Amino acid sequence: MAVSLLTGQVSDLCLGKPALKSLSISSTIGDALLALKRLGENFISIWSCDQHHHNLSAVDRGFKECQCVGKVCMVNIICFLCKEENLSNPATALQTPLSVLIPTSPCLVRHLEPKASLLDAIDLIQEGAQNLVIPLESSSKTLSRKKLVQGTLSNISTLHNNNRQYCWLTQEDIIRYLLNSIGLFCPTAANPINSLDIIDTRNKMALHYDNPASSALPFISRSLEIQASVAIVDSDGKLVREISPFTLNYCDEDVAAAIATLSAGDLLAYVDCGGPPEDLVQLVKKRLQERNLEQALELVEEYSSGASISTSYSSSSSDDEFGMGRSARWMGYSARAVRRSEAIVCYPWSSLVAVMIQALTRRVSYVWVVDDDGTLAGIYIVL
């Protein structure tokens, strides 16, 4: 029965999945920023074809076969803006081609045919893929939704390769599917994780509470790749909290200034739901002034006064349908449905099934492993 589970088709997991909204790789980082805010998406897919000419062949447009080459989220943009040269002129930085944010190796996003087996999908994820792009059956409803999206943002498309629509499967989708049949894997599911040799003690990314938040940037980028977080520890090595890409993904681009000027501990308070404390906002402004980062200072002042880059664009009747109603970025800090940055933890003797349920409940793919006294021992990444 376990064999039949793994040989099932990935199309079984695509039922009810929405069509991917996408941008061309020829777009700018500013285009991606606007799309993420207007559509309320956590990620937007990036394709090698020109979305304005989706009815033409990819070869006619000078591209190879039209395919998804990556994805972009707010964390990518925030990390990009944290660079000194970009922080000094954020407006110019946002005009940079989107291609600079896409890894040269397309391993994070992979294409897969609907008839491929679940085992094929798991193999790709174990090779490093985070999202599997699967073709969807077209329908008049999805086509009408596509037209509505393009009426809102003209450079957004959901159609590629002869008007085909696509969805993507994530690690979470596959984990949930497997967890529904966890009984097939007994007794492994009931075993403690320290008996299964799945606790990673070498790749735990940790930073001291008082260290500059900017020193976490390489860890943040890496944690986005492996879908984990950066642990924040005290002087005794005990886990305090975490800097999570999940949390940063619901922030605005002004957080780049906070990362560049605050300690790791202060950054946690800055990004927590409810908005940054006024004293930290003033501290960020002061340090930006000291470093003569005037344009970054203007950006922080715009957001602290309630303005943002997105306010120059009017809303439309389709906003709620495509996520605008739940868009944390669009509505501002006061309406954010963002969890605080408490770390999700388990113990070495916790059972595999308990840890998996804990991860899925919090919609993450990792759990920190701590000893009895709270000392960070390692991390368990579910897939």
Side-chain angles (χ1 to χ4, degrees):
M1 215 174 151
V3 174
S4 63
L5 174 70
L6 295 176
T7 55
Q9 296 182 354
V10 294
S11 58
D12 296 339
L13 279 68
C14 295
L15 297 175
K17 283 278 188 178
L20 278 179
K21 302 178 184 72
S22 58
L23 283 175
S24 166
I25 198 168
S26 62
S27 303
T28 67
I29 293 176
D31 292 332
L33 176 63
L34 178 59
L36 288 166
K37 291 190 173 193
R38 291 296 304 269
L39 297 174
E41 299 285 345
N42 288 331
F43 293 88
I44 189 162
S45 63
I46 310 302
W47 290 68
S48 61
C49 48
D50 190 329
Q51 312 303 335
H52 292 291
H53 300 272
H54 55 265
N55 289 325
L56 299 178
S57 70
V59 175
D60 291 339
R61 295 299 304 162
F63 293 104
K64 295 181 180 180
E65 180 184 357
C66 183
Q67 61 181 345
C68 182
V69 295
K71 60 179 182 177
V72 167
C73 65
M74 279 299 298
V75 181
N76 297 120
I77 297 173
I78 288 170
C79 289
F80 177 77
L81 291 177
C82 282
K83 297 178 180 179
E84 190 76 17
E85 63 272 21
N86 297 330
L87 201 59
S88 63
N89 196 337
T92 300
L94 290 175
Q95 298 308 309
T96 304
L98 196 54
S99 56
V100 303
L101 300 183
I102 305 300
T104 53
S105 173
C107 62
L108 294 183
V109 175
R110 302 285 292 272
H111 281 255
L112 199 61
E113 288 301 313
K115 293 184 179 180
S117 70
L118 182 61
L119 190 57
D120 292 331
I122 292 175
D123 286 341
L124 289 178
I125 285 178
Q126 289 185 327
E127 291 173 8
Q130 291 183 5
N131 298 77
L132 304 177
V133 181
I134 316 293
L136 284 174
E137 293 294 330
S138 297
S139 68
S140 58
K141 180 179 180 180
T142 54
L143 290 177
S144 66
R145 285 173 63 88
K146 173 260 176 184
K147 293 178 181 178
L148 189 55
V149 172
Q150 286 195 322
T152 306
L153 286 172
S154 60
N155 58 344
I156 300 293
S157 175
T158 63
L159 294 185
H160 308 280
N161 294 331
N162 298 321
N163 286 343
R164 297 188 79 180
Q165 291 185 311
Y166 294 77
C167 72
W168 61 22
L169 296 179
T170 65
Q171 293 181 4
E172 180 184 342
D173 294 322
I174 294 176
I175 294 168
R176 287 186 181 277
Y177 183 78
L178 293 176
L179 192 59
N180 286 335
S181 304
I182 195 68
L184 298 178
F185 301 95
C186 288
T188 301
N191 288 343
I193 57 175
N194 60 358
S195 69
L196 301 173
D197 196 27
I198 56 176
I199 301 174
D200 190 343
T201 59
R202 294 177 299 177
N203 295 317
K204 54 183 181 183
M205 296 172 289
L207 190 69
H208 189 272
Y209 190 87
D210 292 324
N211 284 3
S214 57
S215 62
L217 282 172
F219 287 161
I220 294 173
S221 298
R222 176 59 179 159
S223 67
L224 188 62
E225 291 179 10
I226 65 174
Q227 301 196 82
S229 289
V230 182
I232 303 300
V233 298
D234 63 16
S235 56
D236 296 322
K238 295 180 180 179
L239 183 63
V240 179
R241 288 168 68 185
E242 66 179 9
I243 298 176
S244 167
F246 178 90
T247 301
L248 291 178
N249 223 20
Y250 283 89
C251 295
D252 292 302
E253 61 271 27
D254 64 308
V255 169
I259 294 175
T261 55
L262 297 177
S263 68
D266 285 340
L267 177 65
L268 294 175
Y270 193 96
V271 301
D272 271 340
C273 55
E278 183 59 29
D279 61 329
L280 288 182
V281 174
Q282 295 305 319
L283 180 59
V284 170
K285 292 180 180 179
K286 177 183 176 182
R287 291 177 176 173
L288 291 173
Q289 286 178 326
E290 292 172 349
R291 293 167 58 178
N292 295 318
L293 296 172
E294 297 299 329
Q295 293 195 34
L297 176 60
E298 291 176 7
L299 183 65
V300 173
E301 289 177 337
E302 287 176 3
Y303 276 97
S304 61
S305 65
S308 76
I309 188 173
S310 55
T311 54
S312 61
Y313 298 90
S314 61
S315 61
S316 71
S317 60
S318 64
D319 292 338
D320 285 340
E321 182 176 359
F322 292 99
M324 189 82 127
R326 63 177 180 84
S327 173
R329 302 181 197 96
W330 186 265
M331 299 301 294
Y333 278 106
S334 61
R336 287 180 177 170
V338 184
R339 66 175 173 87
R340 288 170 58 86
S341 46
E342 281 90 359
I344 305 168
V345 301
C346 69
Y347 297 103
W349 54 86
S350 299
S351 69
L352 176 62
V353 65
V355 175
M356 291 181 68
I357 291 173
Q358 186 179 12
L360 288 176
T361 300
R362 299 294 291 271
R363 303 202 66 180
V364 295
S365 58
Y366 68 94
V367 177
W368 296 108
V369 183
V370 298
D371 293 327
D372 272 335
D373 61 355
T375 302
L376 181 62
I379 187 173
Y380 167 56
I381 299 177
V382 180
L383 273 182

